Amino acid sequence: MTKLPSIGKPISRLEGRLKVTGSAKYAGEYHAPDLLYGYVVNSTITKGKIAVIDTSDAKALEGVIEVFTHENRPSTAWFDFQYADMDAPPGTVFKPLKNNEIKYNAQPIALVVAETFEMARYAAITIKVAYTEEVFDTDLEANINKARDAKKGLASMLKPPPPKPLGNFEEAYHNSSFQSSGEFKHGTEHHNPMEMFATTVLYEGKNKLKIYDKTQGTINSQMYVANVFGLKMKNVQVIAPFVGGAFGSGLRPQYQLFMAVMASLHLKRNVRVTLDRAQMYTFGHRPPTVQYTKFGADENGKVNALYHKAIGETSQFEDYVETVVNWSSMIYPAENTLFEHKLVPLDVYSPLDMRAPGGSTGMHAIEITMDDLAYKLNIDPVELRLINYSDTDTSSDKEYSSKELRNCYLQGAEKFGWKNRNPEPRSMKRGNKWVGYGMATGIWDANRLLARAQAIMTSDGKVEIKSAVTDIGTGTLTIMTQIASDELGLPLEDITFSYADSKMPFAPIQGGSFTVATVGPAVKAACKALNKKLFRKAIRLDDSVLRNAEFEDVSFNEGAVFLKNNQESKITLAQIFAANEGKEIKTTNTSMPNPLVYGKKARAVHSAVFVEVEVDQELGIIEVTRAVTAVAAGKIINPKTAESQILGGMIWGISKTLHEETILDNRFGKYMNPNLAEYHIPVHADIHNLDVIFVEEHDDFVNDLGVKGVGEIGIVGMPPAIANAIFHATGKRINDLPIHFDKLL
């Protein structure tokens, strides 16, 4: 009997109907009896102290239950020790309402709790606050000379420091036949997921809480609450089955979680705190960064010298770091390298991981510099990258576990029609518009962490898989169900994947494109272990036709265990459960990379991006008319959800390059456009023909499934490819993002 595989099939999201019909409940939508509503008050200054905070008018309003400030905040455990969550950078975590100090603009300074959201919001505007202001500094470029090395911390495990220098960069660069250098800047970006941050806390008595939270890690939020408020882990349950986008903003617990739990514990009531759109700009962001590159090559195009320096923003209380400058030596082998990454502490909140943190920043500078080098060498940009192709990561001196980037270049170029490009800038026109072709390389880490999963089979042959992992809209629910289906030999409808509950087996935060590679093997291991239990019970049955078989001799399909070489010899699940008195059969298993082996090879997902732009000759308006991304990411579990991830990244790449920027007025230390009217993002009319190619790639080393993540790789190559296409169209090399039409006039 042929086993019908689920892996590799473009199955629609299993929760799709719930989402599009509005049936899916998000953190701020769960029903709770006698629910109280909290509204956060934010500071109006950037640095200083609260001299007076008068809440009397707010407290006098009918329906207002309490107003929490630093003056009456209930005591918490965390003020006695340093606490870090799974994604915390080195430093001192921000503690809401700790004291009267203001560390950044729009810092939360009070929580109004009332019987309705409208009353809480109204009461908030009646609170009178007097401040003593202090001198602040929020200007990165004005403080470049104050840049320093980042402090080390646990975060460096997934964000390694710049590789050590090789050879003699200065001498090699000076002697290079061809040189390219540049300065690159990009502004602040905020995540802006569709669902705003909300927490609903159900108080279940005796300091026991059930929490519906917008988070990328239920166990991370559980740890945070338990440690901050001195609660037992078993008394804190965090649930987040539906997350309306996050992109990194939900990796760390945000302050609405603290506020809601604080109020619930103190009032012994159910409490919900929801942030509004403007408040989504009061924590975390992609940090503005200034970069400098110098690349040298010989007359044949072989790169022999690489220099990359990045200076990023961080807060005064934490050292947020990104992997920005490491990527060039991971792609292009050079014997002489020098890389630096510095931070400038400013009076802002700590930056936060945003889709492809560091990668989308660093590759922008790297791939524009490579493009410029190609023009100086008079070599096709694709050919230059093939000249410098390597199956080894120079930064670690390790061979890649797999690397099909060469085929990404070739297949992507063919699909795009790169051969039709006239290499001369300003040589291609369509009506009154310049036409430009640009390309770039993409790379992202292929990591894997520890995870656990449980598989439970009941007497009707149905299986429930459990994991605490969240699904932030990437298709995790569907993919894990497919993995279980393949391993168990059961149809998808016989499998339920229960997830996003901190009471379930451990899963790390969902981010870094490592979720499928981390949780997928745990699901596979649990299902395999369940099959082994079924097999052992099957061979013990009276007159079992499998009595002399080994586990490797059998297969599982359509509710039975078969001999592979004799499909007539089988034992049904019904027979096994009859002998087991109908009791459920379950197993819980852990999956993690072998630390003795895993570090022996470099692991990455690669892409090649090709872009066409049109630039209006008179108005300078830029349109990305079409783009192709060719991706090598190991085995693709679900081409439909994977393509959706790449397309989402490509659209965000267009947004990052041409639209997005939060404007900080350094006179006030304040973001001036904290809304979706003035924080520009693409609309439907901005997005045209986007294609995705998955290049076949086999990898037995990365994990049991041979999969690599695709969440980040879709964005990293788009900004430089667009910028390179704009240069080809106009002859103007613009290195600062976003690129608006005024830079072309």
Side-chain angles (χ1 to χ4, degrees):
M1 183 175 292
T2 304
K3 186 174 176 180
L4 298 176
S6 292
I7 288 178
K9 296 208 167 177
I11 294 166
S12 297
R13 294 166 188 264
L14 300 179
E15 82 287 12
R17 180 173 291 275
L18 292 175
K19 288 182 173 178
V20 299
T21 59
S23 301
K25 286 187 182 296
Y26 293 84
E29 297 180 324
Y30 284 91
H31 173 73
D34 301 318
L35 183 65
L36 298 178
Y37 296 83
Y39 191 84
V40 177
V41 180
N42 302 85
S43 72
T44 57
I45 69 165
T46 299
K47 189 175 183 179
K49 291 182 172 60
I50 299 171
V52 178
I53 184 163
D54 182 357
T55 62
S56 57
D57 288 349
K59 288 183 176 180
L61 292 169
E62 185 178 352
V64 172
I65 305 300
E66 182 60 277
V67 180
F68 295 95
T69 71
H70 68 279
E71 295 178 340
N72 67 338
R73 167 190 51 77
S75 62
T76 54
W78 81 341
F79 293 109
D80 300 323
F81 68 90
Q82 175 56 43
Y83 168 77
D85 62 76
M86 287 186 196
D87 198 50
T92 303
V93 69
F94 173 71
K95 300 167 182 176
L97 308 187
K98 178 187 179 185
N99 51 36
N100 67 339
E101 289 185 22
I102 303 299
K103 296 179 179 290
Y104 69 97
N105 197 284
Q107 172 182 316
I109 59 172
L111 176 73
V112 181
V113 180
E115 292 175 353
T116 66
F117 173 78
E118 291 76 13
M119 179 52 72
R121 183 174 58 183
Y122 172 72
I125 67 174
T126 69
I127 295 174
K128 302 179 184 68
V129 186
Y131 303 94
T132 56
E133 295 193 57
E134 298 174 12
V135 176
F136 59 84
D137 208 333
T138 58
D139 193 334
L140 173 65
E141 292 186 49
N143 290 278
I144 289 289
N145 60 334
K146 297 179 183 177
R148 58 164 174 77
D149 290 331
K151 297 168 186 171
K152 300 294 188 292
L154 290 175
S156 62
M157 290 173 61
L158 289 175
K159 297 178 180 178
K164 294 179 180 179
L166 291 176
N168 186 329
F169 165 77
E170 294 293 351
E171 181 180 334
Y173 181 73
H174 179 74
N175 294 328
S176 294
S177 302
F178 294 87
Q179 301 169 338
S180 177
S181 63
E183 179 178 343
F184 304 82
K185 300 173 186 175
H186 79 73
T188 305
E189 295 172 58
H190 279 84
H191 299 74
N192 277 309
M194 189 179 296
E195 180 202 10
M196 293 177 284
F197 275 82
T199 301
T200 302
V201 182
L202 306 186
Y203 185 80
E204 298 184 326
K206 297 182 180 179
N207 289 342
K208 189 175 181 181
L209 307 175
K210 178 181 286 187
I211 303 169
Y212 297 96
D213 189 38
K214 180 188 172 80
T215 178
Q216 289 176 245
T218 57
I219 289 178
N220 196 34
S221 289
Q222 178 195 33
M223 288 169 47
Y224 173 89
V225 169
N227 282 300
V228 167
F229 294 96
L231 305 176
K232 294 178 180 178
M233 287 279 283
K234 68 178 182 180
N235 286 341
V236 179
Q237 181 180 16
V238 179
I239 303 169
F242 299 107
V243 180
F247 317 115
S249 61
L251 291 172
R252 301 189 68 181
Q254 302 303 351
Y255 63 75
Q256 94 289 337
L257 174 61
F258 172 87
M259 298 288 200
V261 172
M262 173 191 69
S264 179
L265 287 171
H266 182 74
L267 300 172
K268 294 181 170 45
R269 294 278 300 274
N270 300 332
V271 176
R272 174 178 296 152
V273 177
T274 303
L275 302 186
D276 62 26
R277 180 57 65 182
Q279 289 168 333
M280 296 289 286
Y281 292 78
T282 62
F283 56 85
H285 53 274
R286 195 191 300 276
T289 305
V290 179
Q291 302 178 73
Y292 307 92
T293 60
K294 294 179 184 177
F295 290 5
D298 64 22
E299 62 277 3
N300 297 316
K302 190 69 176 174
V303 174
N304 52 31
L306 293 171
Y307 171 76
H308 193 177
K309 180 178 182 178
I311 301 173
E313 170 189 274
T314 192
S315 67
Q316 297 284 8
F317 46 90
E318 289 179 316
D319 274 14
Y320 173 80
V321 293
E322 293 184 326
T323 303
V324 178
V325 302
N326 305 30
W327 307 101
S328 60
S329 63
M330 294 172 67
I331 310 171
Y332 309 118
E335 296 178 354
N336 305 279
T337 63
L338 179 60
F339 304 109
E340 301 177 81
H341 189 192
K342 306 283 186 182
L343 296 179
V344 176
L346 296 168
D347 296 308
V348 297
Y349 191 79
S350 299
L352 181 63
D353 288 352
M354 182 184 282
R355 199 169 196 169
S360 66
T361 301
M363 291 305 292
H364 166 234
I366 292 164
E367 289 301 284
I368 290 179
T369 307
M370 284 295 287
D371 193 69
D372 186 58
L373 202 55
Y375 277 96
K376 289 179 176 176
L377 283 155
N378 197 25
I379 294 176
D380 183 280
V382 175
E383 182 61 28
L384 178 63
R385 285 158 176 82
L386 292 173
I387 289 170
N388 289 281
Y389 194 86
S390 174
D391 288 319
T392 300
D393 170 9
T394 308
S395 69
S396 63
D397 196 26
K398 294 174 183 175
E399 182 185 12
Y400 279 104
S401 61
S402 62
K403 184 180 178 183
E404 292 294 338
L405 177 57
R406 184 188 304 277
N407 282 325
C408 290
Y409 291 136
L410 299 177
Q411 293 180 31
E414 177 66 25
K415 175 79 172 177
F416 181 80
W418 183 257
K419 64 185 178 183
N420 300 322
R421 166 184 173 269
N422 183 331
E424 192 67 29
R426 295 174 72 94
S427 63
M428 297 171 63
K429 289 184 69 177
R430 190 177 292 139
N432 69 328
K433 296 178 180 178
W434 297 111
V435 176
Y437 286 5
M439 62 84 55
T441 306
I443 183 172
W444 188 254
D445 294 314
N447 283 318
R448 177 188 176 190
L449 305 177
L450 178 147
R452 286 169 62 77
Q454 184 177 52
I456 306 168
M457 180 176 278
T458 49
S459 58
D460 57 1
K462 309 287 187 185
V463 175
E464 182 182 16
I465 310 294
K466 291 185 176 182
S467 168
V469 68
T470 54
D471 184 342
I472 58 174
T474 57
T476 304
L477 161 63
T478 307
I479 289 168
M480 296 305 161
T481 308
Q482 288 179 259
I483 292 169
S485 170
D486 253 34
E487 191 66 28
L488 294 168
L490 293 174
L492 290 172
E493 54 267 25
D494 285 350
I495 297 168
T496 300
F497 184 67
S498 299
Y499 64 104
D501 185 334
S502 62
K503 296 283 187 184
M504 293 176 181
F506 174 83
I509 48 181
Q510 182 173 36
S513 294
F514 53 65
T515 296
V516 178
T518 295
V519 180
V523 170
K524 181 180 173 72
C527 292
K528 186 173 184 177
L530 180 62
N531 277 345
K532 285 184 175 180
K533 281 193 171 185
L534 293 168
F535 172 72
R536 286 196 293 269
K537 292 181 182 297
I539 61 176
R540 294 190 193 118
L541 295 177
D542 293 340
D543 301 321
S544 173
V545 295
L546 306 178
R547 185 173 298 279
N548 297 319
E550 299 292 334
F551 182 70
E552 293 73 20
D553 300 330
V554 301
S555 64
F556 296 77
N557 200 15
E558 293 189 354
V561 188
F562 296 84
L563 276 176
K564 289 178 180 176
N565 60 4
N566 182 2
Q567 296 292 302
E568 297 303 316
S569 297
K570 68 176 183 179
I571 291 177
T572 65
L573 295 178
Q575 290 174 278
I576 295 171
F577 275 95
N580 201 50
E581 299 177 342
K583 296 175 185 175
E584 66 181 24
I585 300 171
K586 63 182 179 180
T587 180
T588 303
N589 294 80
T590 301
S591 177
M592 64 177 290
N594 184 338
L596 300 177
V597 176
Y598 203 56
K600 291 186 176 181
K601 290 188 178 183
R603 306 168 310 279
V605 53
H606 298 90
S607 70
V609 182
F610 297 84
V611 167
E612 178 190 90
V613 299
E614 289 183 352
V615 182
D616 189 291
Q617 285 181 257
E618 297 176 335
L619 302 177
I621 295 171
I622 306 160
E623 275 195 290
V624 175
T625 45
R626 60 191 183 93
V628 174
T629 295
V631 182
K635 183 183 292 183
I636 303 300
I637 301 290
N638 185 325
K640 190 172 188 177
T641 56
E643 181 186 37
S644 179
Q645 284 293 290
I646 302 299
L647 290 172
M650 293 172 73
I651 292 168
W652 200 337
I654 294 170
S655 185
K656 177 178 172 62
T657 312
L658 304 179
H659 301 274
E660 262 181 80
E661 186 180 19
T662 323
I663 306 298
L664 182 65
D665 189 327
N666 291 305
R667 297 171 300 170
F668 308 108
K670 179 180 180 180
Y671 296 116
M672 304 307 291
N673 57 328
N675 56 72
L676 290 181
E678 297 167 302
Y679 183 91
H680 296 158
I681 57 175
V683 296
H684 288 294
D686 295 307
I687 304 303
H688 300 287
N689 187 9
L690 305 180
D691 279 318
V692 179
I693 300 171
F694 288 111
V695 174
E696 188 172 338
E697 184 175 66
H698 183 73
D699 196 324
D700 287 329
F701 183 85
V702 285
N703 51 66
D704 303 352
L705 293 163
V707 301
K708 301 176 181 180
V710 295
E712 261 100 353
I713 191 64
I715 187 175
V716 288
M718 282 294 287
I722 296 169
N724 292 337
I726 291 170
F727 172 76
H728 179 234
T730 66
K732 289 193 74 170
R733 183 71 72 182
I734 302 173
N735 293 344
D736 298 352
L737 299 184
I739 303 172
H740 291 153
F741 68 90
D742 58 300
K743 295 178 181 177
L744 291 171
L745 290 178

